[in-house]
Amino acid sequence: MIDIPFESSYILKDNSIVIISLYNNIYSEHIPQLKELLSEFLVKNINNIILDLSKCLFIEKDIWEYFIELKKELSHKSGDIVIVNMYGVVKNDYNTMELSNYLESYNDINSAFYNFGILTDIKSA
């Protein structure tokens, strides 16, 4: 078993979307902590999740599979999970495993908000 703590933080937006930031390395041993964190929001019918991976260095394959299963579960509740700010090994693995077929990704938070129907940073002509 890997002895690296699970680190995360979150921000709630408009009581309808949660932005969860994951840090460092995420291993399959962290699935129980992930499920516990996410269940806090799912029981409150907050079914739209943005995963900010800007500070995440590595994600094990089992975690990616969990995110895909979660997306399926959320779709039954008219929700979704999307990813933002992937870099380095995380982005490389996402591309190598062709996860874009299952999980949408965006370059920034505002683009993800737009996906959920929240308009931000609109500039007038």
Side-chain angles (χ1 to χ4, degrees):
M1 181 173 216
I2 298 170
D3 193 25
I4 296 176
F6 174 73
E7 295 182 56
S8 67
S9 63
Y10 67 87
I11 299 169
L12 197 56
K13 172 86 171 161
D14 294 342
N15 269 343
S16 63
I17 299 173
V18 63
I19 304 160
I20 298 175
S21 298
L22 300 178
Y23 303 101
N24 302 320
N25 300 324
I26 310 297
Y27 297 104
S28 58
E29 289 84 2
H30 296 135
I31 289 176
Q33 291 102 319
L34 265 172
K35 286 183 176 182
E36 183 179 331
L37 173 65
L38 292 166
S39 71
E40 292 178 35
F41 305 107
L42 299 179
V43 298
K44 297 175 185 173
N45 287 324
I46 300 169
N47 298 318
N48 293 314
I49 300 168
I50 298 172
L51 289 177
D52 181 353
L53 302 181
S54 60
K55 303 239 183 340
C56 189
L57 304 174
F58 173 78
I59 297 178
E60 200 166 56
K61 184 178 181 232
D62 291 345
I63 299 296
W64 288 115
E65 290 171 354
Y66 170 68
F67 291 152
I68 292 168
E69 288 303 314
L70 179 61
K71 182 175 179 83
K72 291 176 188 174
E73 178 185 328
L74 291 171
S75 70
H76 296 300
K77 299 177 179 182
S78 299
D80 199 3
I81 181 171
V82 299
I83 299 167
V84 297
N85 299 326
M86 284 188 292
Y87 304 103
V89 172
V90 174
K91 185 170 188 162
N92 188 42
D93 288 349
Y94 175 88
N95 290 332
T96 300
M97 291 187 273
E98 299 180 350
L99 294 172
S100 62
N101 295 329
Y102 308 99
L103 297 167
E104 288 182 73
S105 70
Y106 298 93
N107 292 329
D108 57 62
I109 296 280
N110 286 339
S111 298
F113 284 151
Y114 187 78
N115 175 69
F116 291 117
I118 296 175
L119 304 178
T120 58
D121 291 338
I122 297 177
K123 298 179 172 93
S124 59

